[in-house]
Amino acid sequence: MTDIAFPSWPDVAPQLIEVAAGRRPADTVIRKGIWVNVHTREQLPDHDIAIVAGRIAYVGPDASYCTGPDTEVIEANGRYMIPGLCDAHMHIESGMLTPAEFARAVIPHGTTSMFTDPHEIANVLGLEGVRLMHDEALLQPVNIFTQMPSCAPSAPGLETTGYEITAEDVAEAMSWPGVIGLGEMMNFPGVAAGDPKMLAEIAATQRAGKTVGGHYASPDLGPDFAAYVAGGPADDHEGTYEADAIARMRQGMRAMVRLGSAWYDVEAQITAITEKGLDPRNFILCTDDCHSGTLVNDGHMNRVLRHAIDCGCDPVIALQMATINTATHFGLERDIGSLTPGRRADVILTSDLKTLPIELVIARGQIAAKDGEITVECPHLDWPESARGTVHLGHQLSAEDFEIAAPEGANAVTANVIGVVENQAPTKALQAELPVQNGLVEATMAEGGDTCQIALVERHRATGGVTNAFVSGFGYKGPMAMASTVAHDSHHMIVVGTDRDQMALAANRLAEVGGGITIFRDGAELALVELPIAGLMSDSPATEVAAKAQKMVEAMEACGCKLNNAYMQHSLLALVVIPELRISDLGLVDVRSFEQIPVIVSAPSS
């Protein structure tokens, strides 16, 4: 369950006992802080913590008896001592960073444990990509546990991925030292229908004694939900309403509630605790997806914790939701999640429990960050060339690849349109009346709307395939296009634009640089974020990637988009497991019925 680089509790129990008994000095003692005990919700002033071999040996009123001349003494000076924060569900790739650079970005924010599902890279590179993420995770000075991806593709028959994850792959990964369980089971219709492959993956995880991650992205809480729960997923992060959190907790699941760069689901669901008074032990905070700009400028789990407190949650209860609740869920409460003997010495010093300034971070007994600056190394893996050359378009794209032909003789059409919803993962299934010019549907010529074109460009097998449809909600104006090889979950290339020439320019540019995000307007590139590893990540520092990402955000705004964190909305337009409409390499998908639907609904006879 734990990684191979850090000794287990039984490995160092003799040393812990010697220090706790006063027979040998501690490596480190934190003096005179307020011990926030997440087991009892107490705040106990004038307490010390003694650490040896990276684990806590003693917590009590006076650790002077186990302090020697070579013991490092850290003065808490009356500050709160809280456990390092845990992110219960997240995708490192969404930060556009490798595990090493992601760790470097979040350690100063107090995140010391992450439960990561690398299903983004699994779609591009398969099991080998998962292994690369897992191996770099184990090099880090904090705890990064890997959940083996469950669904690549996430919706079989509705999309084509670069690689498929099999039940045999899952069974193999359960023996890897850093694998903690199965990643989010996104194929919820498959589980509810008793799909043998999905059930085999769940069974392999359960038989290994590990946790099955959930993903039930449907508002239907009837028989399908009951069947999904009966299939074995132990948690779910797709809730958006109070009733969702309550339903999951009542059924013995953990309600994982997210605040990511674009997902604001805490406020609507935490009322199950703050107003309905449900037991908070089954309520867990997470981020799911945070891009590099959020990490550098706003924070990580400290941001989520502050937000929960601002939504009316008691600070210590909120802290439990980001520490011990998470650890317990994954069977690690004897290893992480609290400041108690035997646990990894992951400690934060903060002067205020509500605003949560992260003043000192200790990870595995070592000072990892101080006053926002990292003080430890985050080692990099030597990523192979096979992980870098992953954008294969098959041919140079032109404006003609993005044409949508109208029915013969039509001067207008009714089209199905993907409707973007600000700050939420779901989209809306809309329809729009669009004009026809020279036999082609021209979305941006429609009066009073902001409908533009969207294309899914196949980039794994060089088929040259382009699927075209329509999207609204971004507010783009003028000739522009935005392209990205981050296109959850299949990670082909998504191109959104108001002009087909600009769409071709943007797509070809990403093929040239090996993946990333670009924005073109009037023939000029306004912003570029290079993501050479699998077309998803950069191994550059987070500050550099965030600076480029900020230019991308500014470029989107310059093109008329005013949505909060609109890039995250863009990147999810191919996620064919979240309602209502999505695009895939096979066509337009209605996720309510899991069926392909036509782009053009009807055309009036001329």
Side-chain angles (χ1 to χ4, degrees), residues 122-139:
N123 279 270
V124 181
L125 296 174
L127 188 62
E128 180 58 24
V130 176
R131 185 184 290 277
L132 291 167
M133 295 290 285
H134 164 271
D135 290 354
E136 185 164 292
L138 291 188
L139 298 176

Side-chain angles (χ1 to χ4, degrees), residues 277 430 572:
L430 306 177
L572 289 182

